Amino acid sequence: MNVFIVYWHPEPKSFNAAMFSTACKVLAETGAEVQTSDLHAMAFDPVSSRKNFQTVKDPDFLKLPLEEMHATKVHGFSRVLEDEMQKLETCDLMIWQFPLWWFGLPAVLKGWVDRVFAMGRIYGGGLIYETGVFRGKRALLSLTTGGPEDAYLKDGFNGDIHGILKPIHRGMLQFVGFDVLAPQIVYAPAHMNDEQRKQELDRFGKRLMRISEESPIAVGRY
Ligand SMILES: Cc1cc2nc3c(=O)[nH]c(=O)nc-3n(C[C@H](O)[C@H](O)[C@H](O)COP(=O)(O)OP(=O)(O)OC[C@H]3O[C@@H](n4cnc5c(N)ncnc54)[C@H](O)[C@@H]3O)c2cc1C
C-alpha cells in the first residue's frame, strides 16, 4: 500500500507532530510505502497565483481554472505542485494530519488544496465524485481539537463534528473521487495528561496497523 501523509502544524514538538510521526512509523512497519509532505518544514506557500505554473495561457487575465487546464495539457505545473500531484496520484491512501482551526483546515493546508487540486488534472471534465479521478483511493482526516468531545455532539455547543467536517469530506475529498474513512479525532489533547495522550497515540497506531481492512463511511449520510 502506498500512503501519502500531508501534515501541517507550526510546532515540531506539538501533539500533531507526535501523531504524524506515529503514523509514519507504524505504517512503515506494516510494509507500506510512505510519502509525506510536512508543509511547515517545506515552508509551503499556500497562496495561488501565476507561480503555480511554468506556462501561460492568457498573460492579460489570470483565470486559475483555465491556466490549470492549459498546464494539464502541456505539463506546465510548477515543480512544487508537480511533486505534490505525483504523490497524490501514486497513493492508495491519503492522510491529512492537522489541528482544527476555525472549524476547518488551517490556512496552509487549505492553500495546499487550493493549489494542488487543479482543474483538468485532479478534477473536471465530468470527472467528479463517483467518477472522480481518484476513485478507488481512500482518504483519512486525522485531527485534533481544542474543544472537548461533548461540545462536538449533535446537541453540543459547537454542533456535530461530522457536519463541521462535511465541507472537507464532501467538497474536497469525495469531490475528487476519494472514498472517505471515519475521521481520527483526538479531542482536546492539551487538557489530557501525558498518559492519556500516549493512549491516544497507541489507539491511532493500532488503527493504522489494520487500516487497509477498513471500509469507507457512507456518502452523504453523515
Ligand atoms: C487559530 C486557531 C483556531 C482554532 N480553532 C479551533 C476550532 O475551531 N475548534 C477547536 O476545537 N479548537 C480550535 N483551536 C484549538 C486547536 O485545535 C488545538 O489547540 C489543537 O488542535 C491542539 O493540538 P496541538 O497539536 O496543537 O496540541 P499541543 O498543544 O501541541 O499538544 C498538547 C500537549 O501534548 C503534548 N505532547 C506532544 N507530543 C507528545 C507525545 N508524544 N506524548 C504525549 N504528549 C505529547 C504537548 O507537549 C502538549 O503539552 C484553534 C486554535 C488556533 C490557534
Side-chain angles (χ1 to χ4, degrees):
M1 181 171 61
N2 291 314
V3 185
F4 177 29
I5 310 177
V6 188
Y7 155 66
W8 182 84
H9 195 288
E11 169 53 60
K13 295 190 290 296
S14 67
F15 189 70
N16 268 266
M19 291 192 75
F20 172 59
S21 43
T22 298
C24 294
K25 180 170 167 288
V26 170
L27 288 164
E29 282 167 7
T30 66
E33 286 293 323
V34 182
Q35 299 202 82
T36 61
S37 288
D38 177 345
L39 300 179
H40 180 70
M42 291 159 66
F44 184 85
D45 181 349
V47 180
S48 246
S49 71
R50 284 210 184 270
K51 70 181 176 310
N52 292 4
F53 315 103
Q54 301 179 41
T55 49
V56 180
K57 171 79 172 164
D58 181 347
D60 296 325
F61 188 97
L62 174 61
K63 196 163 174 78
L64 286 164
L66 291 186
E67 294 295 339
E68 288 172 351
M69 286 195 294
H70 180 62
T72 300
K73 263 194 217 132
V74 300
H75 304 289
F77 288 101
S78 70
R79 188 69 250 166
V80 172
L81 294 195
E82 184 60 37
D83 287 350
E84 297 306 299
M85 288 169 179
Q86 286 182 14
K87 289 185 225 176
L88 254 177
E89 286 162 349
T90 53
C91 77
D92 305 300
L93 168 68
M94 178 167 69
I95 300 175
W96 290 356
Q97 179 65 54
F98 61 96
L100 188 71
W101 275 19
W102 297 117
F103 280 20
L105 298 177
V108 179
L109 181 50
K110 171 58 168 49
W112 180 90
V113 180
D114 292 344
R115 295 186 69 203
V116 175
F117 281 25
M119 189 181 227
R121 175 86 172 252
I122 308 296
Y123 74 95
L127 302 181
I128 54 169
Y129 295 118
E130 284 75 13
T131 60
V133 170
F134 297 130
R135 63 194 177 281
K137 298 180 189 287
R138 296 175 312 147
L140 168 67
L141 298 182
S142 175
L143 60 137
T144 60
T145 69
E149 184 167 8
D150 59 3
Y152 285 101
L153 299 175
K154 267 194 189 121
D155 54 358
F157 58 76
N158 288 331
D160 186 6
I161 189 70
H162 296 290
I164 289 168
L165 296 179
K166 188 167 178 177
I168 309 172
H169 278 154
R170 186 74 184 150
M172 299 177 200
L173 296 170
Q174 289 184 334
F175 184 74
V176 300
F178 280 96
D179 286 327
V180 167
L181 300 179
Q184 182 76 20
I185 306 172
V186 179
Y187 292 97
H191 295 285
M192 294 176 179
N193 60 38
D194 257 357
E195 189 46 42
Q196 291 168 318
R197 284 191 286 260
K198 286 199 177 89
Q199 282 170 12
E200 288 294 339
L201 295 172
D202 284 350
R203 181 170 72 93
F204 188 33
K206 287 201 176 99
R207 180 181 178 191
L208 290 174
M209 276 182 218
R210 304 175 69 100
I211 198 86
S212 59
E213 297 164 22
E214 279 192 28
S215 302
I217 53 178
V219 174
R221 287 243 235 106
Y222 50 92

